């Protein structure tokens, strides 16, 4: 049987989250699980190796490959992991020259040819990968021309060939559930500390795409939102609960609340099936109202995560957020009334930011009385409008290691500001909100278990050490 191995490049949580690595997220790479699922449905032998959770070195990965002896190795590549992924590809090609190396993931889709030309990969999968990986696997197995497979980059006698773009699947229910059984036990994974209520916890996707026009967003699924049906979503939740013992779900859609009627139906089915799951999701403040939040709360939602980004309306307009500060305040008011916790995200050092607008953002964040506010530094990821326009508003770093979730070192500095000032203001944002009696009181009121105490203590300790 034709054998395919999927893996993520060896990477340490310290490289992703920096000084907050102990409370950082280690969650399954669902993209690999979706690809593996479509291949298993069509009788391919598939294995997934989560090198990050297993703390594997590159030498460990080579041993895994030798033991499994696959025909193909597929590696997911992000901007942050691109250098590491290419080094791993070089080592694999040197040790196993007959293995076909496939690259996929957001960096391949956004940077495509520039990365691919200088890499050791044989094939690149561009965009949504399920149907592409299936047709590619069949072509490789049957030794057919790759030019007939849409959505590829591949090397042919030293030349890089691009095939026709792959159209995205309109009916997501055509895809099988991601094969999480190929991963280590789900109980070994954790989202970021405080961002979950019960364990075991895992994430799932109920839609792909986001209609918003934010300049910094690097979603690979485009601006047209496609959905799993409510029935599909509930069936996957039942599977997670019954097969894997999951008690909580993080809905990882770019924006879960785009289609209100669908949300009402999902919530209705969750109650009808008496799932008893707690869950959280990303929201846009211009797409929710009191009634939909009330329905979500009644079906187990305990945390909503709105992207706010700035306390300056001028900056929000420049970012093309499509929201107002009044909407942010209104949604937080509704959440407080309903007993929903909030995790608003803010960005320090946006294009156009000044010392005044950054101070506005920190003051605004404090006024919301939220529970888990975050302050990241602006990152113009390749492939986004922000990347193309960043040099008009400031200086962009060429060091890919700065494109991390923790963004401890700025990858972009607006004109008139400095790296030191951005780091100082990020620290000030965390300190002014988290080292505050009212914040401590809000968290103390949420404690319902020893696990709550453990999470809060760990997160507080990391904040103290990171921003003392």
């Amino acid at each position: 049987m034709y054998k395919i191995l999927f893996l993520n490049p060896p990477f340490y949580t310290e490289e992703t989250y920096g000084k907050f690595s102990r409370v950082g997220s280690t969650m399954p790479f669902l993209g690999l699980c979706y690809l593996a699922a479509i291949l298993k449905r069509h009788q391919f032998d598939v294995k997934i190796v989560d090198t990050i959770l297993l703390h594997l070195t590159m030498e460990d990965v080579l041993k895994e490959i030798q033991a499994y002896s696959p025909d193909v190795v597929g590696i997911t590549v992000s901007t942050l992991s691109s250098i590491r992924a290419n080094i791993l590809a070089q080592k694999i090609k040197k040790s196993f020259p007959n293995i076909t190396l496939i690259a996929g993931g957001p960096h391949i889709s956004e940077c495509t040819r520039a990365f691919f030309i200088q890499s050791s990969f044989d094939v690149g999968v561009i965009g949504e990968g399920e149907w592409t990986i299936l047709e590619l696997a069949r072509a490789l197995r049957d030794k057919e021309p790759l030019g007939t497979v849409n959505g590829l980059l591949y090397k042919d006698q030293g030349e890089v060939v691009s095939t026709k773009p792959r159209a995205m699947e309109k009916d997501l229910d055509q895809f099988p559930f991601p094969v999480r059984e190929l991963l280590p036990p789900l109980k070994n994974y954790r989202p970021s500390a405080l961002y979950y209520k019960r364990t075991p916890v895992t994430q799932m996707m109920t839609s792909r795409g986001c209609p918003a026009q934010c300049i910094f967003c690097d979603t690979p699924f485009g601006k047209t939102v496609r959905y799993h049906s409510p029935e599909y979503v509930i069936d996957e939740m039942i599977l997670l609960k019954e097969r894997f013992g999951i008690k909580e779900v993080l809905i990882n859609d770019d924006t879960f609340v785009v289609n209100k009627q669908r949300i009402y139906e999902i919530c209705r089915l969750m109650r009808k099936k008496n799932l008893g799951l707690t869950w959280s999701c990303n929201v846009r403040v211009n797409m929710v109202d009191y009634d939909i939040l009330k329905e979500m709360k009644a079906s187990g939602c305990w945390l909503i995560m709105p992207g706010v980004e700035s306390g300056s309306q001028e900056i929000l307009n420049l970012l093309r957020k499509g929201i107002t500060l009044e909407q942010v305040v209104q949604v937080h008011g509704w959440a407080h009334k309903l007993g929903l916790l909030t995790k608003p995200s803010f960005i320090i050092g946006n294009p156009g930011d000044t010392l005044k607008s950054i101070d506005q953002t920190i003051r605004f964040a404090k006024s919301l009385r939220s529970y888990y506010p975050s302050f990241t530094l602006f990152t113009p990821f390749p492939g986004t409008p922000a990347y193309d326009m960043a040099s008009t508003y400031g200086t962009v770093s060429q060091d890919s290691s700065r494109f991390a979730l923790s963004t401890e070192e700025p990858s972009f500095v607006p004109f008139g500001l400095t790296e030191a000032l951005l780091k100082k203001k990020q620290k000030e944002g965390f300190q002014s909100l988290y080292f505050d009696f009212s914040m401590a009181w809000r968290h103390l009121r949420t404690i319902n278990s020893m696990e709550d105490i453990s999470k809060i203590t760990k997160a507080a300790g990391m904040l103290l050490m990171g921003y003392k």
Side-chain angles (χ1 to χ4, degrees):
M1 187 178 289
Y2 204 73
K3 299 167 75 173
I4 300 173
L5 172 66
F6 289 120
L7 55 87
N8 44 10
F11 222 75
Y12 301 106
T13 53
E14 290 81 4
E15 295 172 278
T16 305
Y17 294 99
K19 56 194 172 188
F20 299 113
S21 59
R22 285 183 56 205
V23 293
S25 171
T26 54
M27 294 296 278
F29 279 67
L30 278 188
L32 298 182
C33 297
Y34 276 108
L35 299 181
I38 201 79
L39 291 172
K40 283 182 69 67
R41 172 183 280 184
H42 292 274
Q43 309 308 311
F44 285 91
D45 187 335
V46 189
K47 181 176 182 178
I48 297 176
V49 176
D50 189 338
T51 68
I52 296 175
L53 186 75
L54 298 175
H55 305 290
L56 301 185
T57 64
M58 291 199 185
E59 288 67 32
D60 293 330
V61 173
L62 296 179
K63 292 176 183 177
E64 291 279 350
I65 293 172
Q66 185 173 22
Y68 183 55
S69 189
D71 299 284
V72 174
V73 172
I75 302 175
T76 185
V77 186
S78 67
T79 299
L80 181 58
S81 70
S82 58
I83 295 176
R84 189 71 56 83
N86 192 31
I87 294 172
L88 177 60
Q90 292 171 359
K91 289 179 177 291
I92 295 173
K93 186 59 72 175
K94 180 178 179 180
S95 299
F96 309 99
N98 294 326
I99 286 179
T100 300
L101 285 179
I102 301 175
H107 193 73
I108 298 301
S109 294
E110 300 297 347
C111 297
T112 53
R113 189 175 295 268
F115 172 81
F116 188 70
I117 287 174
Q118 53 82 40
S119 77
S120 295
F121 289 99
D122 301 301
V123 186
V125 173
I126 310 301
E128 192 166 71
E130 281 87 346
W131 297 133
T132 303
I133 197 67
L134 176 60
E135 292 179 19
L136 174 59
R138 285 170 169 167
L140 291 171
R141 180 193 62 192
D142 301 335
K143 296 181 171 53
E144 295 177 348
L146 299 186
T148 62
V149 180
N150 292 343
L152 293 183
L153 281 178
Y154 66 93
K155 295 173 181 174
D156 184 14
Q157 297 181 347
E159 297 293 322
V160 175
V161 180
S162 301
T163 65
K164 295 179 181 179
R166 168 77 57 178
M168 292 189 181
E169 175 60 57
K170 295 180 180 179
D171 180 10
L172 295 186
D173 286 4
Q174 294 298 310
F175 298 145
F177 297 141
V179 284
R180 297 174 177 88
E181 56 267 29
L182 295 184
L183 298 169
L186 294 187
K187 66 181 181 180
N188 295 343
Y189 291 90
R190 286 284 191 282
S192 297
L194 298 180
Y195 302 160
Y196 62 94
K197 194 176 187 68
R198 299 189 297 169
T199 57
V201 53
T202 197
Q203 87 272 46
M204 65 181 290
M205 294 187 67
T206 79
S207 68
R208 298 183 183 183
C210 179
Q213 302 299 315
C214 310
I215 65 171
F216 52 81
C217 183
D218 64 340
T219 178
F221 295 124
K223 299 301 181 183
T224 300
V225 184
R226 297 159 296 135
Y227 306 98
H228 285 296
S229 66
E231 292 76 18
Y232 182 106
V233 172
I234 296 303
D235 286 345
E236 185 173 353
M237 287 181 172
I238 291 172
L239 176 72
L240 289 172
K241 179 180 179 180
E242 294 183 352
R243 179 179 296 182
F244 299 101
I246 294 300
K247 296 180 180 178
E248 177 160 327
V249 173
L250 167 60
I251 296 177
N252 213 26
D253 302 13
D254 289 320
T255 296
F256 178 60
V257 295
V258 176
N259 186 322
K260 288 184 181 178
Q261 284 305 117
R262 175 175 170 271
I263 302 307
Y264 276 118
E265 182 62 11
I266 290 173
C267 292
R268 184 189 71 81
L269 289 173
M270 289 182 73
R271 293 198 303 276
K272 179 180 178 181
K273 298 291 185 179
N274 196 28
L275 291 184
L277 296 173
T278 46
W279 55 280
S280 60
C281 65
N282 297 312
V283 302
R284 282 185 57 85
V285 295
N286 62 334
M287 291 184 178
V288 294
D289 54 35
Y290 181 83
D291 290 337
I292 195 71
L293 292 176
K294 183 179 180 180
E295 190 75 7
M296 290 163 56
K297 177 69 163 62
S299 65
C301 181
W302 70 280
L303 174 70
I304 58 172
M305 297 176 278
V308 180
E309 324 315 352
S310 178
S312 162
Q313 189 63 53
E314 181 181 354
I315 298 299
L316 288 179
N317 295 343
L318 194 153
L319 295 176
R320 302 176 198 162
K321 280 293 295 182
I323 64 173
T324 66
L325 296 176
E326 289 76 17
Q327 289 170 329
V328 176
V329 172
Q330 186 176 52
V331 168
H332 277 78
W334 290 334
H336 289 314
K337 183 175 180 179
L338 291 167
L340 279 169
L341 275 58
T342 55
K343 177 193 175 296
S345 58
F346 298 92
I347 301 175
I348 302 295
N350 294 292
D353 252 341
T354 62
L355 181 59
K356 179 181 178 181
S357 66
I358 293 174
D359 286 339
Q360 281 181 302
T361 295
I362 295 173
R363 287 195 302 270
F364 183 69
K366 192 167 186 177
S367 73
L368 296 175
R369 298 182 295 118
S370 63
Y371 286 79
Y372 311 115
S374 65
F375 296 89
T376 58
L377 300 178
F378 186 84
T379 303
F381 284 104
T384 65
Y387 187 80
D388 297 329
M389 65 188 284
S391 59
T392 304
Y393 290 91
T395 304
V396 183
S397 172
Q398 300 304 309
D399 182 356
S400 65
S401 68
R402 295 191 173 202
F403 288 72
L405 293 178
S406 63
T407 50
E408 286 184 34
E409 299 298 328
S411 58
F412 170 79
V413 180
F415 291 136
L417 303 179
T418 65
E419 287 191 14
L421 179 63
L422 294 180
K423 293 162 68 174
K424 176 184 176 183
K425 286 299 177 180
Q426 183 187 34
K427 178 178 179 179
E428 181 182 320
F430 278 109
Q431 285 183 333
S432 63
L433 270 72
Y434 282 95
F435 300 166
D436 179 82
F437 176 78
S438 62
M439 173 70 83
W441 177 241
R442 285 197 293 278
H443 279 286
L444 287 172
R445 293 173 62 188
T446 67
I447 292 177
N448 292 307
S449 66
M450 290 301 297
E451 184 166 13
D452 287 340
I453 295 174
S454 175
K455 289 186 300 179
I456 291 174
T457 302
K458 181 187 294 186
M462 289 303 297
L463 280 169
L464 284 168
M465 287 190 290
Y467 288 120
K468 59 186 178 180

